[in-house]
Every structure is written in C-alpha cells, then in structure tokens.
Amino acid sequence: MAFSRQLTRLGAVLALGVAAQGAYTIQDSYDNTNFFDGFDFFDLPDPTNGFVKYLGAAEANALSLAGYANDGVYLGVDYNTTNPVGGRSSVRVSSKKTYTEALIIADIAHQPAAVCGSWPAFWTVGQNWPYNGEIDIIEGVNMATNTTYTLHTGPSCTFSQGDCNAPGTGNLGCGTSSEDTQTLADGFNDIGGGIFALEWTSSAINIFFFPRTGSIPQDITAGQPDPSTWGSPSTSFSGSGCDIPSHFKDHQIVFDTTFCGDWAGKVFSSDPVCGAKAATCEDFVSNNPSAFKDTYWLINSVKVYSDSATNGTTKRDTSTFRQRRFRA
C-alpha cells in the first residue's frame, strides 16, 4: 500500500463518548478526527537521556513530523538532517486525560522500523514514577524483532515475571518477551499492523495482540469489546504478589520515539549489526538520517473503555503534567 506523508493541520474536533453494548463502555476515542486535541506534546529534555530533541505541536506539524495522513495519525522523526544539534528531532505525545483500570485498544497500521539507535514505545504511566506504575505495551530497541511487555513500580510488587521494582529503583521492572516477530517493527509492518489491547483490572494486567492478518475479534470491530471471549492474552501479570490498585493509578497514554539513551545506547555496541556500523550510537544516529525514513507511527485509533459494572476509569486533565521514565 502506498503511503503518503502529506499531513493535514492538527484538527480541533472534540471526541464524543458512545456507549458500547456489553461489559465495557467507551470513554474516549482518539483517531484522525481529534487525536491531537486529546494529546499533549512533550518538549522537554528526554528523561531517558536520549539523543533526541522532542518538538512541540506547532513545530512538529510544520516540519511534517506530526499530523494526519492516510486516514491515520502520523508521528515521525527527522530523516533529513545530518549532525542535528542537540539530537534528532522526534515527537512524544501523552494523553491529556489519565485512566485507571481501563481497557485500552490501539489499532496501529505502522510502527517505527527496526533500525540501529532507535527506541520507540507505546506505554502508559502514572505520576510520581515509579510509584504509580508504568505499563510498556510496545517497546524495543535497535534491531529487536519482538516487543517486550514490562511493568515498572515502587517496592512490594512482584509477579511471575519478576520484581517490578527491580533492581530496587524500578528501572528494569518485570517483563517478558512477546516471542512473536509480528508484534514489533518490520514484522508488524509487513502484515499491515494490528491491534494491541491492554485489559487493566484490580486483579490482573493483561496484554493482547491481534495481527491484521489474523482473527481480530468481531466484538472489537463492532465497538463492543469482551476480553473474556478472546482466549489467552499474550502476557498476564496477576497473583497475590502485587496489589495492583495501590501500584497502578492515573495513567497517561504515551507514544514516543527516542534514540540511543539509557537502553538503545547502552546496548548499541554489543549488537553485532549496530556495533559494526559506528563507534557509538550517537555517531550513527547523527550521521545517517536516511536510515530513519521509516521510523514513524501510523495510528488508526486508540479507544479507552471502562467496565460498566465498576466504572473503573478515572479521567482528569493533565495538560501540565510531566512524567518521568527510566531504563537501566
């Protein structure tokens, strides 16, 4: 499918909640009619020490790094500038509202391609990191071929995947590989993308993935999601070792692409492909702009549902909220 980077202006259409029939009720729907009305641009220095310059909304749109394209939401990076001062330009956006115990369904057409130096992620995070938690849904660095599902918390939260406060700071957290090459980067893009669903309740944090070429549940397509009919999740964090409500609350939804930093940069030289390309991660990212032409997100929609029985979704505006996120 041909992709056009002709971006339209950031719109100003407000989302209207529509009640879903079934266990979950839709709270917010973000797509190419209103996405940028519901998300703020983060334009401060990267908390993960990346070689990146995050741009504000106006500049990102003017430089064609953020906008609406191909009936979706485009979030890209600068792939033209050699030796960019202060880092390669990119975008990081966070939802203005926060959510607790929600069902978040993201329909994504394209993820940033696998390329040395890149570190894209789709995640949720609470204020006062790591004590209100972080949930990493899509994340990988350099030439990684499958996503890593990871949680980060304060002390006293352990699942079968490990101690989510590891190594005592929350930097590493507890995680597991999807072991599915269709969940990340090139493997994901080759099949036209797919749907990730985060089911977050008081007793479990479940992550599901449905490839575009597979069987996407009809209830998702119909706007009436029922996770109880979806089969086993890709991963499930549950058990008596962690009181989820006390460790996960008031999360923003985040999409970003950074470069190098505390993870991609730290392992760059040990990657046999990347280590052969440049002496350092920053050198490669700085001198090879064209390598990042396919480093972009194309998001069809992000929909947030709450359990109609418990009405567990919490929403509040956080237009001035600046969360932190770390990786050892």
Side-chain angles (χ1 to χ4, degrees):
M1 179 183 69
F3 174 70
S4 170
R5 294 178 195 268
Q6 288 294 114
L7 304 186
T8 58
R9 291 180 62 249
L10 306 187
V13 182
L14 297 178
L16 297 177
V18 179
Q21 304 299 312
Y24 280 93
T25 301
I26 195 163
Q27 298 297 301
D28 293 288
S29 180
Y30 305 103
D31 56 26
N32 68 338
T33 68
N34 68 340
F35 184 90
F36 294 104
D37 298 312
F39 280 74
D40 283 324
F41 282 72
F42 179 91
D43 58 3
L44 297 178
D46 181 20
T48 62
N49 301 304
F51 182 67
V52 66
K53 180 182 178 182
Y54 286 128
L55 303 184
E59 187 176 7
N61 192 223
L63 296 176
S64 296
L65 269 61
Y68 299 120
N70 286 41
D71 298 321
V73 179
Y74 177 89
L75 304 172
V77 307
D78 168 29
Y79 58 90
N80 294 306
T81 307
T82 302
N83 295 320
V85 177
R88 186 158 300 285
S89 293
S90 180
V91 292
R92 168 171 160 169
V93 296
S94 306
S95 62
K96 293 179 180 180
K97 294 181 178 179
T98 64
Y99 302 94
T100 301
E101 295 183 15
L103 175 64
I104 300 173
I105 299 178
D107 185 332
I108 301 171
H110 188 279
Q111 296 180 23
V115 60
C116 295
S118 66
W119 180 1
F122 163 47
W123 45 298
T124 71
V125 66
Q127 197 172 15
N128 192 26
W129 193 94
Y131 299 99
N132 287 345
E134 175 181 327
I135 304 171
D136 298 328
I137 304 163
I138 302 174
E139 187 174 33
V141 299
N142 298 323
M143 303 301 293
T145 58
N146 49 74
T147 190
T148 301
Y149 306 123
T150 308
L151 306 184
H152 303 265
T153 70
S156 303
C157 180
T158 301
F159 297 104
S160 61
Q161 293 88 344
D163 179 0
C164 301
N165 185 238
T169 59
N171 286 0
L172 290 178
C174 58
T176 183
S177 169
S178 69
E179 299 184 349
D180 181 351
T181 59
Q182 293 185 334
T183 60
L184 187 71
D186 299 351
F188 180 87
N189 299 333
D190 287 345
I191 61 170
I195 290 177
F196 283 87
L198 166 65
E199 182 191 22
W200 167 11
T201 71
S202 62
S203 59
I205 293 173
N206 299 320
I207 300 175
F208 298 83
F209 171 65
F210 304 106
R212 190 82 61 201
T213 54
S215 299
I216 295 176
Q218 189 277 334
D219 54 59
I220 290 180
T221 304
Q224 303 170 6
D226 182 1
S228 69
T229 67
W230 296 348
S232 298
S234 298
T235 193
S236 179
F237 297 88
S238 61
S240 60
C242 182
D243 178 52
I244 290 175
S246 65
H247 288 281
F248 297 88
K249 64 185 70 173
D250 297 334
H251 278 206
Q252 289 178 287
I253 301 167
V254 185
F255 287 91
D256 77 275
T257 303
T258 187
F259 303 99
C260 304
D262 296 340
W263 188 9
K266 185 176 181 179
V267 301
F268 182 89
S269 296
S270 62
D271 184 297
V273 174
C274 299
K277 291 180 179 291
T280 68
C281 183
E282 289 80 3
D283 285 344
F284 180 80
V285 173
S286 181
N287 293 302
N288 295 276
S290 62
F292 302 100
K293 185 174 182 179
D294 291 325
T295 303
Y296 67 88
W297 296 93
L298 188 64
I299 303 158
N300 292 329
S301 66
V302 178
K303 298 181 179 181
V304 183
Y305 298 83
S306 68
D307 186 332
S308 58
T310 63
N311 195 28
T313 299
T314 300
K315 304 187 293 181
R316 61 186 175 89
D317 192 292
T318 57
S319 57
T320 60
F321 175 63
R322 302 294 191 186
Q323 71 277 3
R324 295 188 62 81
R325 173 172 173 266
F326 301 86
R327 169 69 66 169

